[in-house]
Amino acid sequence: MGLIDVLTRAAGSRAHVLVAEVPGAFRERVALERALDRMGWCMAESVADADVLAVVGEPGEAFAAVVEHVWAQMSEPRFRFHLRAGTEAEVLLGETREQLRRGARGTTGPDVRRGFTPSAEAMAQEHGGDGGHGDHDGGGGDGGHGDHHGHDGSGDGGHDHSAMMPDGIPLAEGAEDRDGLEMDELHLPLGPVLAHWPAGVLLQVTLHGDVVVDAAVEQLAASGTGLRPDDAIVRAARLLDAAGSVLALAGLPAESARARRLRDRCLDGELDGGREVAGLGDRVGRRRVLRWVLGGLAVEGSHSGSEQLHDRLTGLFERARAELDGEAPQHVTQGAQALPTLVRGMELAAVRLWLAALMPDLAEHELSEAADG
Amino acid sequence: MADSLSLVYAVPVMVGLAAVSLSVAGVSAALEARDRGRPVRSGLTIPLREMARLLRQRPRRTVSADRLLWRSASSAVIPLAVLIVAFVPVGTHALVDHPLGVVWVNALDVVAWAVMWLLGWGANSVTGLVGGYRFLALALGYELPLMFALTAPAIAAGSLDLAEISAAQDGLWFVVWAPVAFAAYCWGVLGFSVRPPMDPGAGTDVNGGILAELAGVDRLLVLAGRYALLVAGSAAAVPLFLGGSDGPLLPGWTWVLVKTIVLSGGLVVVGRRLPTLRPDKLLELGWVVVLPLVVAQDLVVSVIAVAIN
């Protein structure tokens, strides 16, 4: 057996899976995550990190286009599968593992190494032009300073690039930031194929450094209108899932895994009341370092004035407990339309954390809309 | 001052660095497997499987990437770690024995600034740049405390030579009378190796930041390099704070190895327990709390050093 074979076999026993969750496919996504854990695989944190693309649910047209776009950016060897309601995640993963073990031969598709043909507007947004960035951390001691680079994107020597469009990407345009300094404006689409992110939400943000100055939201729906309102168990599971996501983004993998295990047991109907959920919520709430690190990440303008992320996180556990104990659920539905105002002025990382915390509310809003329509 | 080792010893030193880095990565993966309710043993082989996976994956290129700087940065991480280890005395000798060893170690950890930032810059992607700048903001927070922490053992031993500092701790390790400097040093090691909780530049919350666009061998070099930097930083702490090759029964070099393994493993375990420190919080902590504490520590060490002499 040659070295290549040994490598291929070893590589086949580990893969990173990028999950594209279509709205309404929460249960399928959870099933996939559990199957990944059992196989010793893990979720990919970015497109570059992924070997396998898993589409979960029935994507509508716009969502399917995004999936193709993501697929085009993945490095070979790459594989994809489609998990629909009623298919076993484990079977699909097993097939993918066989393909991985057989090796990369026979895969087709554009050669990622040569980059993409940069023409579409989407590409420009993807890579945000040739940006100079200014560092901007609210509350940091270094103040705001913007540096503006006019770098012509060479490196591909010999090509004739237009001065304003190196490699077909328009240069970032300058604008005044919140301190009146000139900053490059960068456009970055967030979601919908992103871990710990609400299903189907595409947030186009405009950044000064890493601060969001403007945002627009789009909801990429599933095909068909088969969304059913959730029962208490699924609502509780969604809340625990969101708590697990916030904890993962905050850099606490152990606590995140615990919240996810509770979510899984909740969906299996193994949780008797909300005692265990309340216990984990208390433990997380008592972590002073976490409270300190998340401190200052607040949103304005929700119904009770400004709200701290840490309170929202412990609130997720509390609401899950209430659902499991059969108390009247607090409906805090949040339409995606409110997101642009919500994220304006936040850092990129804060946007990720908040969107994860809002996952159940966004989902519930969508479900109730579907029920009305 | 002891003599430099012959270059032949570069091989065992590099093999040792690789082996310890792999084991530390294994510990980290095993802890993660345990968190996910999987057998701990299954995690131990994950670094090897990840290596195979990344060796097979094609490297990736982004539009208008600054390839020269990007590739140089991803290939520089491991050499950086090797250079730091080269200054660490193993037994009575170091690979490079230099009267200014402490200054060299410090200079090399500052090179990490450039390397990590270029990783973010080179990819020409928004999240990469955000990650790069987050790393720089974090570096502002940890670097000054780290520099002052490095002066504590130098003052106590009255030398900038790592071998002499190591020898000066006969019986009483500097970690005992300079615990704050030791803690600040470890904090800095986590910082320049971009390990949790000092990894906002490569955090999930910025889609991987400086790692966001890396795939294949490039990614492997950086991921392995981060562990190697952690191990190299821990190895440098051994002569600085942990008595160097001092220890009963076993030969000196084994004690250096054992202390390096224990410290780097400990840093991984502790790091996983703490949430990612956001740069603004970290600057606050670094400059308002840690820096004054470390300066006070230097003062205490100086007073003791003067009193003893």
Side-chain angles (χ1 to χ4, degrees):
Chain A
M1 204 158 69
L3 181 64
I4 299 281
D5 293 321
V6 176
L7 269 182
T8 307
R9 288 191 69 78
S13 61
R14 175 85 172 162
H16 294 211
V17 180
L18 189 64
V19 180
E21 182 193 358
V22 180
F26 172 68
R27 277 167 171 276
E28 286 78 23
R29 196 249 299 163
V30 173
L32 176 62
E33 275 183 25
R34 297 176 71 173
L36 285 181
D37 267 355
R38 278 194 292 271
M39 284 175 70
W41 288 11
C42 66
M43 306 256 285
E45 67 176 13
S46 65
V47 180
D49 186 34
D51 310 287
V52 179
L53 176 64
V55 181
V56 185
E58 297 297 338
E61 216 168 287
F63 200 111
V66 172
V67 167
E68 288 311 314
H69 187 59
V70 168
W71 175 247
Q73 296 182 31
M74 280 172 63
S75 270
E76 291 180 20
R78 56 186 177 167
F79 298 93
R80 64 198 280 183
F81 63 81
H82 191 159
L83 178 64
R84 298 179 167 86
T87 14
E88 284 288 325
E90 220 129 50
V91 176
L92 287 172
L93 285 174
E95 284 169 9
T96 310
R97 179 158 58 184
E98 277 316 301
Q99 287 174 315
L100 273 166
R101 286 206 172 134
R102 253 183 273 135
R105 290 178 201 90
T107 54
T108 52
D111 184 344
V112 183
R113 285 182 305 178
R114 294 205 193 99
F116 343 103
T117 336
S119 54
E121 197 186 349
M123 299 293 183
Q125 286 167 347
E126 192 73 33
H127 290 285
D130 229 319
H133 272 227
D135 186 17
H136 245 290
D137 287 295
D142 61 342
H145 61 95
D147 44 359
H148 192 87
H149 302 273
H151 164 81
D152 69 7
S154 54
D156 255 8
H159 293 263
D160 181 26
H161 300 310
S162 140
M164 296 307 290
M165 302 269 284
D167 285 351
I169 304 175
L171 285 176
E173 299 199 349
E176 292 207 337
D177 79 342
R178 56 185 179 190
D179 301 325
L181 295 159
E182 185 171 348
M183 296 281 282
D184 278 354
E185 276 198 339
L186 301 176
H187 303 279
L188 177 75
L190 289 171
V193 184
L194 191 57
H196 312 300
W197 185 263
V201 172
L202 170 59
L203 197 63
Q204 301 274 7
V205 295
T206 305
L207 296 168
H208 284 169
D210 71 342
V211 178
V212 176
V213 285
D214 203 5
V217 73
E218 241 180 285
Q219 281 221 300
L220 308 185
S223 75
T225 46
L227 299 183
R228 287 167 292 121
D230 293 333
D231 56 14
I233 294 285
V234 177
R235 280 200 301 268
R238 277 187 191 277
L239 290 160
L240 288 170
D241 181 64
S245 287
V246 175
L247 288 167
L249 290 172
L252 287 173
E255 276 79 358
S256 166
R258 238 173 255 148
R260 274 151 193 267
R261 274 218 297 282
L262 272 184
R263 168 201 72 186
D264 299 343
R265 290 176 51 214
C266 170
L267 282 174
D268 289 348
E270 283 175 18
L271 287 189
D272 188 19
R275 199 171 38 79
E276 280 179 79
V277 172
L280 183 59
D282 280 350
R283 245 184 298 162
V284 170
R286 275 200 304 268
R287 300 274 317 247
R288 289 222 190 117
V289 187
L290 183 64
R291 177 180 288 275
W292 172 69
V293 164
L294 297 183
L297 297 180
V299 288
E300 307 291 337
S302 51
H303 37 137
S304 53
S306 94
E307 188 186 4
Q308 290 287 334
L309 179 62
H310 188 267
D311 296 337
R312 171 66 70 134
L313 174 62
T314 48
L316 289 171
F317 285 106
E318 170 53 26
R319 280 162 64 196
R321 183 205 60 76
E323 294 280 5
L324 288 169
D325 283 341
E327 290 168 19
Q330 311 160 262
H331 286 284
V332 200
T333 62
Q334 169 104 40
Q337 292 73 26
L339 287 179
T341 4
L342 203 74
V343 300
R344 214 159 281 152
M346 280 187 189
E347 284 168 42
L348 196 56
V351 173
R352 294 293 313 273
L353 284 160
W354 264 107
L355 265 284
L358 290 169
M359 280 200 288
D361 305 332
L362 289 164
E364 202 167 317
H365 181 79
E366 186 161 297
L367 291 169
S368 64
E369 269 194 343
D372 293 343
Chain B
M1 195 185 110
D3 298 323
S4 294
L5 286 173
S6 120
L7 261 184
V8 180
Y9 287 93
V11 177
V13 167
M14 265 152 54
V15 169
L17 176 64
V20 179
S21 305
L22 251 180
S23 341
V24 173
V27 168
S28 175
L31 287 172
E32 186 162 338
R34 194 195 58 184
D35 290 341
R36 289 169 182 272
R38 304 248 319 147
V40 173
R41 225 169 23 139
S42 73
L44 288 173
T45 55
I46 284 182
L48 288 172
R49 286 186 274 154
E50 284 281 344
M51 240 161 85
R53 179 182 88 85
L54 289 170
L55 279 174
R56 201 175 64 140
Q57 193 176 52
R58 278 189 180 173
R60 202 158 167 279
R61 234 173 71 184
T62 50
V63 183
S64 282
D66 197 332
R67 265 179 300 162
L68 176 66
L69 291 180
W70 198 20
R71 290 279 140 81
S72 355
S74 54
S75 22
V77 190
I78 291 179
L80 200 57
V82 172
L83 281 177
I84 293 179
V85 170
F87 285 97
V88 175
V90 181
T92 45
H93 305 278
L95 218 47
V96 185
D97 210 323
H98 197 277
L100 298 176
V102 177
V103 181
W104 275 108
V105 169
N106 196 185
L108 287 167
D109 91 59
V110 176
V111 176
W113 286 45
V115 170
M116 299 303 170
W117 186 78
L118 283 177
L119 277 177
W121 162 266
N124 189 26
S125 108
V126 178
T127 44
L129 263 179
V130 169
Y133 277 111
R134 285 186 118 203
F135 173 81
L136 284 192
L138 165 122
L140 282 175
Y142 76 71
E143 190 63 43
L144 269 183
L146 173 62
M147 286 177 174
F148 279 102
L150 280 173
T151 55
I155 296 169
S159 165
L160 287 168
D161 186 335
L162 283 168
E164 283 180 20
I165 291 176
S166 169
Q169 302 172 65
D170 199 17
L172 190 61
W173 296 359
F174 286 157
V175 64
V176 180
W177 41 299
V180 179
F182 177 65
Y185 177 82
C186 291
W187 196 49
V189 170
L190 287 172
F192 68 69
S193 56
V194 207
R195 298 295 315 163
M198 304 281 282
D199 63 339
T204 326
D205 52 357
V206 286
N207 310 359
I210 56 174
L211 303 173
E213 305 289 350
L214 287 165
V217 177
D218 299 327
R219 194 181 183 86
L220 175 63
L221 289 175
V222 175
L223 293 182
R226 281 163 74 199
Y227 279 110
L229 275 177
L230 176 77
V231 172
S234 308
V238 173
L240 284 168
F241 294 100
L242 301 175
S245 47
D246 181 31
L249 298 174
L250 299 171
W253 65 269
T254 34
W255 278 113
V256 176
L257 194 63
V258 168
K259 289 170 190 175
T260 305
I261 293 173
V262 170
L263 181 59
S264 45
L267 287 177
V268 163
V269 173
V270 173
R272 282 182 59 83
R273 303 290 311 146
L274 294 167
T276 303
L277 289 170
R278 298 190 305 114
D280 51 336
K281 297 285 170 185
L282 194 120
L283 271 174
E284 199 180 300
L285 180 71
W287 286 55
V288 180
V289 183
V290 182
L291 190 54
L293 280 176
V294 178
V295 173
Q297 169 79 80
D298 283 349
L299 183 68
V300 171
V301 171
S302 314
V303 170
I304 296 179
V306 170
I308 288 178
N309 295 334

